Amino acid sequence: MPDFTPTTDLSDAWPQAQVAAPVFRDFGGRVRFQGEAVTLRVSDNNPLVRQTLQTPGEGRVLVVDGGGSLNCALLGGNLGIFGVENGWAGVIVHGCVRDTAELRGLDLGIRALAAHPRRSGKREEGERDVPLTFAGVTVRPGDRVVADEDGWLVLGADLVPEPKL
């Protein structure tokens, strides 16, 4: 990825950057990704995730707060394909994903708590473009999210764009 600054360097340069707790696993084919955050809050239902990934991603990162639920998957192979086709850089799910072999083959960054074989519900409910707080970070729409082999962090709007180190 061009002009990618590792999370370790960003954390050193900006101690005020928020670093997510190391509870997320890497499920996507792209380990390093970054972009402006688009936020969703859902509860065991993924129609808003689908609808969002079907829109132009423009290199952004979709951050989904599923409340840390381990009841079902909020993202699977079909939605991952939408993410790739529509230009999303990555998806971070505070919850579960499924179709992990398929996700691993996609050029999309994907972080989640765990894998789960059960699909989510299909009720169209949730919130979009709201601040999300989980795993020790608060992600606001427009914040820069950066992920790599060492974890992921959030740079608030006052810290964007990233520094040239």
Side-chain angles (χ1 to χ4, degrees):
M1 177 173 283
D3 298 324
F4 187 89
T5 303
T7 58
T8 51
D9 291 346
L10 293 171
S11 178
D12 291 349
W14 284 322
Q16 67 272 42
Q18 301 177 74
V19 178
V23 296
F24 290 83
R25 293 175 47 199
D26 176 21
F27 290 98
R30 184 187 295 180
V31 176
R32 292 180 166 200
F33 61 96
Q34 65 180 327
E36 182 180 311
V38 173
T39 62
L40 295 177
R41 181 179 293 120
V42 300
S43 178
D44 291 343
N45 291 279
N46 75 353
L48 284 181
V49 178
R50 172 183 285 272
Q51 291 168 12
T52 303
L53 290 173
Q54 288 178 314
T55 65
E58 301 169 339
R60 295 176 293 173
V61 175
L62 179 60
V63 182
V64 181
D65 183 0
S69 172
L70 301 177
N71 297 324
C72 64
L74 295 173
L75 177 79
N78 291 335
L79 299 191
I81 290 169
F82 290 144
V84 172
E85 290 174 347
N86 290 299
W88 290 86
V91 182
I92 295 176
V93 181
H94 186 225
C96 297
V97 298
R98 69 186 209 160
D99 304 321
T100 59
E102 190 174 345
L103 295 177
R104 180 68 61 205
L106 298 177
D107 185 21
L108 183 69
I110 301 170
R111 299 292 166 89
L113 297 177
H116 198 297
R118 180 165 288 128
R119 70 179 183 179
S120 75
K122 301 303 174 198
R123 289 191 313 267
E124 292 190 28
E125 57 187 35
E127 299 174 276
R128 183 181 166 131
D129 297 327
V130 295
L132 306 175
T133 301
F134 60 85
V137 299
T138 297
V139 183
R140 292 173 179 79
D143 285 350
R144 177 159 293 281
V145 174
V146 181
D148 65 15
E149 300 87 346
D150 293 312
W152 65 276
L153 56 75
V154 180
L155 300 171
D158 59 328
L159 300 179
V160 175
E162 69 179 60
K164 298 297 181 201
L165 300 176

